[in-house]
Amino acid sequence: MKIIAGTAKGTQLKSPEGMNTRPTLGKVRESIFNVLSNVGLLETNILDIFAGTGAMGLEALSRGASTATFIDKVTANVIKENANRCKFTNKVEILKKEVHTALKVLQKKHYDYIFMDPPYKKGYVNDIMQCIFACDLPRDNAIIIVEHSSFEEIDFEKHANYCRLWKEKKSGNIIVTYLICKRLGE
């Protein structure tokens, strides 16, 4: 797996061995960043939840994002090595914690883009989204990009006070959902 574009284009990323991770496919990652390039990535703050290799956040940094925070209690060392390979060591924060705990640590920090790719069929999608909003992490008009299984739908009614559906792209049993956030009280 390689960084697709930007300053770290072509950098080979290390993948965790034997950890049962499922990296975002290159074509899916490229499609996501094609969508986001129309909105703009320059000088943005990124949150990458269930980060795995860190490919999503590192790709964003390569394309001009300012900072990226990664959450993954299993692959934190792999993310650190990949950030070093891309020469982004000073732009990353890596939390080697359980997701709910990590999100609470980040409470009230604000992010422009939040990537979330939880393990499929575990019931994490809506629970983690609720925690993201409870911790007040998205900026106004932030975009949350959720890669999820078609067997685990997003409960839009549950999150209606915090975000709205912007786009959704299906590829087999994989769905990438883009949500635009709104800040409470604004």
Side-chain angles (χ1 to χ4, degrees):
M1 175 181 348
K2 294 180 180 183
I3 297 295
I4 299 167
T7 60
K9 180 180 179 178
T11 302
Q12 185 72 39
L13 300 179
K14 179 180 178 181
S15 293
E17 295 179 28
M19 293 186 180
N20 196 25
T21 58
R22 175 194 36 77
T24 299
L25 298 173
K27 69 178 185 173
V28 174
R29 192 163 26 108
E30 187 168 8
S31 174
I32 290 169
F33 281 96
N34 285 340
V35 169
L36 299 183
S37 69
N38 292 323
V39 181
L41 284 164
L42 293 179
E43 299 181 18
T44 56
N45 297 316
I46 309 299
L47 178 59
D48 191 347
I49 305 170
F50 299 102
T53 63
M56 298 302 289
L58 294 171
E59 186 75 43
L61 288 170
S62 183
R63 294 171 184 242
S66 297
T67 65
T69 301
F70 300 88
I71 299 173
D72 202 308
K73 72 176 186 179
V74 176
T75 64
N77 293 335
V78 172
I79 297 166
K80 183 176 182 180
E81 184 175 331
N82 286 335
N84 290 339
R85 287 179 181 199
C86 294
K87 299 180 177 35
F88 295 142
T89 308
N90 61 340
K91 294 183 176 189
V92 303
E93 177 181 13
I94 303 167
L95 299 177
K96 186 178 183 175
K97 300 179 181 303
E98 184 276 329
V99 172
H100 291 91
T101 304
L103 292 173
K104 288 176 185 168
V105 166
L106 298 172
Q107 191 160 358
K108 300 210 184 237
K109 287 189 177 183
H110 301 300
Y111 296 93
D112 301 291
Y113 294 99
I114 299 174
F115 296 102
M116 187 171 87
D117 184 9
Y120 290 173
K121 300 180 186 177
K122 300 277 186 184
Y124 290 142
V125 171
N126 291 297
D127 177 48
I128 298 302
M129 284 184 56
Q130 196 63 36
C131 192
I132 288 168
F133 297 125
C135 293
D136 193 26
L137 297 175
R139 288 191 195 282
D140 194 31
N141 293 315
I143 298 174
I144 299 177
I145 302 95
V146 184
E147 183 180 334
H148 57 102
S149 162
S150 60
F151 303 107
E152 188 172 15
E153 295 289 330
I154 294 174
D155 183 347
F156 294 108
E157 284 185 33
K158 183 176 187 177
H159 309 298
N161 289 335
Y162 307 102
C163 64
R164 65 176 171 80
L165 177 64
W166 179 39
K167 294 177 184 251
E168 198 166 66
K169 182 157 179 149
K170 297 179 183 183
S171 178
N173 286 331
I174 297 172
I175 301 174
V176 177
T177 302
Y178 301 82
L179 303 159
I180 295 183
C181 300
K182 55 186 172 184
R183 307 251 320 146
L184 292 179
E186 293 182 15

